[in-house]
Amino acid sequence: MSIASNRLFTRQDIVGFAILAAIIFIVLPLALDSFRLNLFGKYLTYAFVAVGLVLCWGAGGILSLGQGVFFGLGGYCMAMFLKLEASTPENTSIQSTPGIPDFMDWNQLTALPWWWEPFSHLAFALFAVVAVPVIFAFIIGMAMFRRRVGGVYFAIITQAFAAILTILIIGQQGFTGGVNGITDLRTLQGWDIRTEAAKETLYYVNGVLLFICLFIAQFVRKSKLGRLLIAMRDQEDRVRFSGYDVASFKIFIFCLGAAFAGIGGAMFTLQVGFMSPTLVGIVPSIEMVIFCAVGGRLSIIGAVYGALLVNWAKTSLSESFPELWLFGLGGLFIAVVMLFPNGLAGLYADHVAPRINRLLAKSATDATKPDDATRAAAE
């Protein structure tokens, strides 16, 4: 590996990050109205999951089909805080038991469950947004990777976890809101998150947090850990026989991906105003893998573009062809995977970047070549 490729940011990386930042912070806010901008804010929350999948699947070879679990856990942690803030005794005075969330009252609960009480504090909720998904990921990782469970078996088991959590949330309606989820979220520390100005502010916060996650992911990819992950993906036994604790590295990167997903889930709750079990289960988890595959499972920036493109296509097709949009989305996924196995990032690297480099090299050669007048003056 060349020395240049070990730098945290190569020239190509800087250009890629700059273009993405320009699109998120300048182009989209100027080109879209408030409603569409809020939609893209929602799409950006899925990009957190896709970036984590690049680290787990693309770099580490760990294909998780249950990232919706971590996305949902982060979202529910934030939703619990917002719901408690909206459930003051004054706002819930018509209930049988004022001061508790409305769905608890509907299910005849007469007191706030003890494990809900810490979520009345914002600091604890923000801590839980990251900690709860990481703890779940750590438990799953310890159980699976220490026993060398991987590949297809790991993917199926993560799907099973997604199904179990969905059933658990729907079944415990009095504690989780059931199939409706946690809705009617209004304020964050007194700040009304339902206004257009608030949603626009949250869009920018979303973008900043996403770039922090991108920088962390870039640091991991360029570090020794990133090179070990690639080595484990390609030749796991060789890495293990070299004395490295392969399971610990896998657990770490799986937990990091869960932390990213949890942050994305919390921002989804703030951006959209609810959290539902439909965002936790098997289907959304598979969709999150599609975001990563379409963007390019080896590129963290490509994963962001994949999340934006797939969700934009999903929205546009469902608006124009409400009965056919699923077929269109499936066709898009099949076309990208069949024609461009490395996704949009591979398409750029194989076809666009070489042409740009040739044009830049030609321009530089023309600029250094003396013109006829200069040659005549020299003679």
Side-chain angles (χ1 to χ4, degrees):
M1 187 174 288
S2 66
I3 294 175
S5 63
N6 285 333
R7 294 174 183 165
L8 182 57
F9 292 102
T10 64
R11 187 177 66 176
Q12 190 174 2
D13 293 329
I14 293 172
V15 172
F17 274 87
I19 293 174
L20 181 63
I23 291 173
I24 292 176
F25 294 111
I26 299 175
V27 176
L28 291 179
L30 290 177
L32 302 175
D33 57 29
S34 298
F35 174 73
R36 294 290 171 184
L37 188 64
N38 185 45
L39 275 182
F40 271 84
K42 185 180 77 172
Y43 304 160
L44 284 180
T45 64
Y46 295 128
F48 287 86
V49 188
V51 172
L53 277 169
V54 169
L55 296 178
C56 292
W57 181 30
I62 305 166
L63 176 56
S64 169
L65 296 180
Q67 292 301 99
V69 170
F70 309 124
F71 184 83
L73 288 173
Y76 267 96
C77 288
M78 179 55 69
M80 290 166 72
F81 168 76
L82 298 176
K83 190 62 181 177
L84 288 180
E85 186 170 306
S87 304
T88 61
E90 293 78 19
N91 291 337
T92 57
S93 57
I94 62 172
Q95 296 179 178
S96 303
T97 307
I100 64 173
D102 49 11
F103 60 83
M104 292 184 184
D105 190 63
W106 300 337
N107 286 277
Q108 301 181 346
L109 267 67
T110 56
L112 190 69
W114 64 266
W115 51 277
W116 266 75
E117 292 180 0
F119 288 94
S120 59
H121 305 284
L122 178 60
F124 181 83
L126 293 177
F127 170 75
V129 160
V130 176
V132 172
V134 167
I135 291 171
F136 268 76
F138 181 78
I139 294 172
I140 296 172
M142 284 288 288
M144 298 295 109
F145 299 135
R146 290 295 179 195
R147 290 171 172 77
R148 300 187 185 182
V149 176
V152 176
Y153 298 104
F154 181 79
I156 293 173
I157 289 171
T158 51
Q159 269 202 333
F161 276 110
I164 291 169
L165 186 62
T166 305
I167 294 170
L168 186 65
I169 291 173
I170 293 175
Q172 299 297 318
Q173 186 169 346
F175 301 106
T176 62
V179 70
N180 295 321
I182 300 179
T183 59
D184 194 23
L185 309 177
R186 305 173 185 175
T187 58
L188 174 66
Q189 296 288 80
W191 179 48
D192 193 339
I193 60 174
R194 297 167 297 180
T195 64
E196 290 186 358
K199 291 183 183 300
E200 186 174 347
T201 302
L202 287 170
Y203 170 85
Y204 287 108
V205 173
N206 213 1
V208 171
L209 289 175
L210 178 60
F211 266 83
I212 292 174
C213 291
L214 283 171
F215 291 145
I216 295 173
Q218 180 75 356
F219 176 76
V220 170
R221 289 175 67 240
K222 294 291 183 175
S223 66
K224 183 179 179 181
L225 171 60
R227 295 192 290 275
L228 277 171
L229 288 173
I230 294 173
M232 286 191 303
R233 179 194 66 192
D234 297 337
Q235 294 289 339
E236 182 174 326
D237 286 338
R238 287 190 179 185
V239 177
R240 181 177 290 110
F241 295 151
S242 299
Y244 291 102
D245 188 348
V246 170
S248 296
F249 291 126
K250 285 188 171 182
I251 293 170
F252 173 79
I253 207 66
F254 189 53
C255 290
L256 184 60
F260 287 175
I263 296 171
M267 290 309 301
F268 177 91
T269 301
L270 287 168
Q271 194 89 42
V272 180
F274 73 92
M275 177 48 67
S276 154
T278 57
L279 300 160
V280 178
I282 294 174
V283 173
S285 295
I286 293 176
E287 284 185 351
M288 291 167 186
V289 175
I290 292 176
F291 305 155
C292 181
V294 169
R297 67 187 182 96
L298 302 176
S299 169
I300 54 176
I301 295 179
V304 177
Y305 286 118
L308 294 177
L309 176 66
V310 173
N311 282 287
W312 172 78
K314 183 178 176 181
T315 301
S316 300
L317 290 171
S318 62
E319 288 176 349
S320 303
F321 309 100
E323 296 178 355
L324 301 174
W325 69 273
L326 273 175
F327 297 100
L329 193 64
L332 172 67
F333 174 65
I334 292 172
V336 170
V337 171
M338 295 292 291
L339 299 176
F340 316 110
N342 291 323
L344 298 175
L347 174 66
Y348 174 82
D350 295 338
H351 300 283
V352 180
R355 288 178 171 79
I356 293 176
N357 290 335
R358 281 198 295 272
L359 287 174
L360 292 175
K362 186 175 183 300
S363 300
T365 303
D366 293 342
T368 55
K369 187 184 298 180
D371 56 19
D372 294 341
T374 305
R375 280 199 297 269
E379 290 172 356

